[in-house]
CSV table of all heavy atoms in Angstrom, one decimal:
chain,number,residue,atom,x,y,z
A,299,CYS,N,-1.9,30.0,-0.5
A,299,CYS,CA,-3.2,30.2,-1.1
A,299,CYS,C,-4.2,30.7,-0.1
A,299,CYS,O,-5.1,31.5,-0.4
A,299,CYS,CB,-3.7,29.0,-1.9
A,299,CYS,SG,-2.7,28.8,-3.4
A,300,SER,N,-4.1,30.1,1.1
A,300,SER,CA,-5.1,30.6,2.1
A,300,SER,C,-4.9,32.0,2.5
A,300,SER,O,-5.8,32.7,2.8
A,300,SER,CB,-5.3,29.6,3.2
A,300,SER,OG,-4.1,29.5,3.9
A,301,ARG,N,-3.6,32.3,2.6
A,301,ARG,CA,-3.3,33.7,2.9
A,301,ARG,C,-3.8,34.7,1.8
A,301,ARG,O,-4.3,35.7,2.0
A,301,ARG,CB,-1.8,33.9,3.0
A,301,ARG,CG,-1.2,33.5,4.4
A,301,ARG,CD,0.2,34.0,4.5
A,301,ARG,NE,0.7,33.7,5.8
A,301,ARG,CZ,1.7,34.2,6.4
A,301,ARG,NH1,2.4,35.1,5.8
A,301,ARG,NH2,2.1,33.9,7.6
A,302,LEU,N,-3.5,34.2,0.5
A,302,LEU,CA,-3.9,35.0,-0.6
A,302,LEU,C,-5.4,35.2,-0.7
A,302,LEU,O,-5.9,36.3,-0.8
A,302,LEU,CB,-3.5,34.3,-1.9
A,302,LEU,CG,-2.1,34.7,-2.4
A,302,LEU,CD1,-1.7,33.8,-3.6
A,302,LEU,CD2,-2.2,36.2,-3.0
A,303,SER,N,-6.2,34.1,-0.5
A,303,SER,CA,-7.6,34.2,-0.6
A,303,SER,C,-8.2,35.0,0.5
A,303,SER,O,-9.3,35.6,0.4
A,303,SER,CB,-8.2,32.8,-0.7
A,303,SER,OG,-8.0,32.1,0.5
A,304,GLY,N,-7.5,34.9,1.7
A,304,GLY,CA,-8.0,35.7,2.8
A,304,GLY,C,-7.6,37.1,2.9
A,304,GLY,O,-7.8,37.8,3.9
A,305,ASN,N,-6.9,37.5,1.8
A,305,ASN,CA,-6.4,38.9,1.7
A,305,ASN,C,-5.5,39.2,2.9
A,305,ASN,O,-5.5,40.3,3.4
A,305,ASN,CB,-7.5,39.9,1.7
A,305,ASN,CG,-7.8,40.4,0.3
A,305,ASN,OD1,-6.9,40.2,-0.6
A,305,ASN,ND2,-8.9,40.9,0.0
A,306,TYR,N,-4.8,38.2,3.3
A,306,TYR,CA,-3.9,38.3,4.5
A,306,TYR,C,-2.9,39.4,4.3
A,306,TYR,O,-2.3,39.5,3.2
A,306,TYR,CB,-3.2,36.9,4.7
A,306,TYR,CG,-2.3,36.9,5.9
A,306,TYR,CD1,-2.8,36.5,7.1
A,306,TYR,CD2,-1.0,37.3,5.7
A,306,TYR,CE1,-1.9,36.6,8.2
A,306,TYR,CE2,-0.1,37.3,6.8
A,306,TYR,CZ,-0.6,36.9,8.0
A,306,TYR,OH,0.2,37.0,9.1
A,307,TYR,N,-2.6,40.1,5.3
A,307,TYR,CA,-1.5,41.1,5.1
A,307,TYR,C,-0.8,41.3,6.4
A,307,TYR,O,-1.3,41.2,7.5
A,307,TYR,CB,-2.0,42.3,4.4
A,307,TYR,CG,-2.7,43.4,5.3
A,307,TYR,CD1,-2.0,44.5,5.7
A,307,TYR,CD2,-4.0,43.2,5.6
A,307,TYR,CE1,-2.7,45.4,6.5
A,307,TYR,CE2,-4.7,44.2,6.3
A,307,TYR,CZ,-4.0,45.3,6.8
A,307,TYR,OH,-4.7,46.2,7.5
A,308,ALA,N,0.5,41.6,6.3
A,308,ALA,CA,1.4,41.8,7.4
A,308,ALA,C,1.8,43.2,7.4
A,308,ALA,O,2.4,43.7,8.4
A,308,ALA,CB,2.6,40.9,7.3
A,309,GLY,N,1.5,44.0,6.4
A,309,GLY,CA,2.0,45.4,6.4
A,309,GLY,C,1.7,46.0,5.1
A,309,GLY,O,1.2,45.4,4.1
A,310,VAL,N,1.9,47.3,5.1
A,310,VAL,CA,1.7,48.1,3.9
A,310,VAL,C,2.9,49.1,3.6
A,310,VAL,O,3.4,49.7,4.6
A,310,VAL,CB,0.5,49.1,4.0
A,310,VAL,CG1,0.1,49.8,2.7
A,310,VAL,CG2,-0.7,48.3,4.5
A,311,ILE,N,3.3,49.1,2.4
A,311,ILE,CA,4.4,50.1,2.0
A,311,ILE,C,3.6,51.3,1.4
A,311,ILE,O,2.9,51.1,0.4
A,311,ILE,CB,5.4,49.5,1.1
A,311,ILE,CG1,6.0,48.3,1.7
A,311,ILE,CG2,6.4,50.5,0.6
A,311,ILE,CD1,6.4,47.2,0.8
A,312,GLN,N,3.7,52.4,2.0
A,312,GLN,CA,3.1,53.6,1.4
A,312,GLN,C,4.1,54.5,0.7
A,312,GLN,O,4.9,55.1,1.4
A,312,GLN,CB,2.4,54.4,2.6
A,312,GLN,CG,1.3,53.5,3.2
A,312,GLN,CD,0.7,54.2,4.5
A,312,GLN,OE1,1.4,55.0,5.2
A,312,GLN,NE2,-0.5,54.0,4.8
A,313,VAL,N,4.0,54.5,-0.6
A,313,VAL,CA,4.9,55.3,-1.3
A,313,VAL,C,4.4,56.7,-1.5
A,313,VAL,O,3.3,56.9,-2.1
A,313,VAL,CB,5.2,54.7,-2.7
A,313,VAL,CG1,6.3,55.5,-3.5
A,313,VAL,CG2,5.7,53.2,-2.5
Side-chain angles (χ1 to χ4, degrees):
C299 290
S300 62
R301 279 192 179 198
L302 268 170
S303 66
N305 261 339
Y306 180 90
Y307 79 102
V310 187
I311 298 149
Q312 296 172 330
V313 183

